[in-house]
Amino acid sequence: MSFITDFQSRLRADLRRNFLSLTTPFAIQEYLDSLPYIAEERDRSPLNVMLDGQCHCLDGGFFAALALWRIGFKPLLIDLVPDPGMDDDHVLALYQVDGHWGAVAKSNYVNLGFREPVYKNLRELVMTYFEHYVSVHQEKTLRGYTRPLDASRYTHLNWAWDEAGANRLYSKHFYGRKSIPLITPRMAKRLNPVTDRTYVAETMYTNLNEAFGKRNS
């Protein structure tokens, strides 16, 4: 039994139909957007994302990678890395069409999600998030990104359905990878604050109670 078939066998019939209906990257994004964003300490497996009907950027990202894998893409993920202590990391599930990169992502912020596969390289893709990566203090906080992790290399952890295995993948293999800088320290010092009008636009539909710097956890 293949890894994905094994995952599907663990789903209830209704959830299996939902999973099999995700036949494009955009359909996967729409499914993620339908789930509440909950910024809790628990990091779910993709199975528990579906069973519980909620996620945040990390477990939502790995769910997206699994769904992309099922429809023929590699399950590749990168971590967007903020200025330390200023914001949350953000996870992107990557896909390529005709050699160009796109992304699927779960976010509390409307502009940190889906990207069409039109970007020549990963840096070009990641930079589309820069101006939208805004903290509750109205600062631009994105500073780097990691090289892609191929989740298909970790099937021995049963990460799609075993939450302990998923957490080993998340903590030991995904987080902590070396970050590639996007801007220099001098550039960072010159960054302008986010205007009030822009901040209102960037946080439209955002649950600020779940935002870094405001939530309890």
Side-chain angles (χ1 to χ4, degrees), residues 6-24:
D6 199 344
F7 168 76
Q8 291 171 180
S9 73
R10 297 165 188 270
L11 295 170
R12 298 192 314 259
D14 60 324
L15 295 180
R16 191 178 308 117
R17 286 193 297 271
N18 287 345
F19 187 65
L20 294 175
S21 73
L22 305 179
T23 57
T24 67

Side-chain angles (χ1 to χ4, degrees), residues 39-114:
E40 60 185 345
E41 290 299 319
R42 180 182 174 188
D43 299 323
R44 287 171 166 76
S45 66
L47 176 62
N48 285 332
V49 166
M50 294 201 78
L51 290 175
D52 297 346
Q54 65 182 60
C55 58
H56 47 62
C57 79
L58 174 61
D59 46 24
F62 274 82
F63 171 84
L66 182 70
L68 286 166
W69 192 8
R70 190 192 73 81
I71 59 175
F73 299 99
K74 286 185 177 181
L76 302 176
L77 301 106
I78 62 173
D79 189 26
L80 302 189
V81 181
D83 193 2
M86 296 299 294
D87 214 334
D88 286 316
D89 289 31
H90 186 45
V91 178
L92 306 181
L94 305 172
Y95 66 102
Q96 272 188 303
V97 177
D98 295 334
H100 288 74
W101 292 98
V104 177
K106 176 63 177 178
S107 181
N108 194 21
Y109 294 83
V110 68
N111 287 317
L112 297 185
F114 185 77

Side-chain angles (χ1 to χ4, degrees), residues 22-209:
L22 305 179
T23 57
T24 67
F26 188 66
I28 298 167
Q29 183 66 58
E30 289 189 304
Y31 178 76
L32 287 181
D33 289 345
S34 75
L35 303 179
Y37 178 94
I38 307 294
E40 60 185 345
E41 290 299 319
R42 180 182 174 188
D43 299 323
R44 287 171 166 76
S45 66
L47 176 62
N48 285 332
V49 166
M50 294 201 78
L51 290 175
D52 297 346
Q54 65 182 60
C55 58
H56 47 62
C57 79
L58 174 61
D59 46 24
F62 274 82
F63 171 84
L66 182 70
L68 286 166
W69 192 8
R70 190 192 73 81
I71 59 175
F73 299 99
K74 286 185 177 181
L76 302 176
L77 301 106
I78 62 173
D79 189 26
L80 302 189
V81 181
D83 193 2
M86 296 299 294
D87 214 334
D88 286 316
D89 289 31
H90 186 45
V91 178
L92 306 181
L94 305 172
Y95 66 102
Q96 272 188 303
V97 177
D98 295 334
H100 288 74
W101 292 98
V104 177
K106 176 63 177 178
S107 181
N108 194 21
Y109 294 83
V110 68
N111 287 317
L112 297 185
F114 185 77
R115 294 294 187 271
E116 298 283 359
V118 298
Y119 301 100
K120 293 185 298 183
N121 55 55
L122 288 179
R123 189 182 190 281
E124 185 177 88
L125 168 68
V126 169
M127 285 304 291
T128 69
Y129 292 87
F130 186 84
E131 294 287 342
H132 305 293
Y133 213 109
V134 173
S135 76
V136 295
H137 303 295
Q138 298 183 216
E139 297 174 317
K140 299 168 189 174
T141 56
L142 183 57
R143 296 294 183 270
Y145 67 103
T146 61
R147 296 192 185 280
L149 175 139
D150 183 348
S152 69
R153 297 176 55 197
Y154 301 93
T155 54
H156 61 284
L157 295 175
N158 296 328
W159 56 268
W161 57 86
D162 182 333
E163 195 153 300
N167 277 270
R168 284 195 294 275
L169 173 56
Y170 302 160
S171 62
K172 293 185 178 180
H173 301 287
F174 182 67
Y175 279 144
R177 294 158 71 85
K178 184 178 180 181
S179 176
I180 301 167
L182 287 170
I183 62 174
T184 67
R186 288 184 65 185
M187 290 176 182
K189 288 180 180 179
R190 293 198 300 267
L191 290 175
N192 295 297
V194 176
T195 66
D196 291 343
R197 185 168 68 170
T198 299
Y199 182 71
V200 169
E202 293 293 346
T203 56
M204 188 175 293
Y205 306 111
T206 297
N207 180 356
L208 288 173
N209 291 327

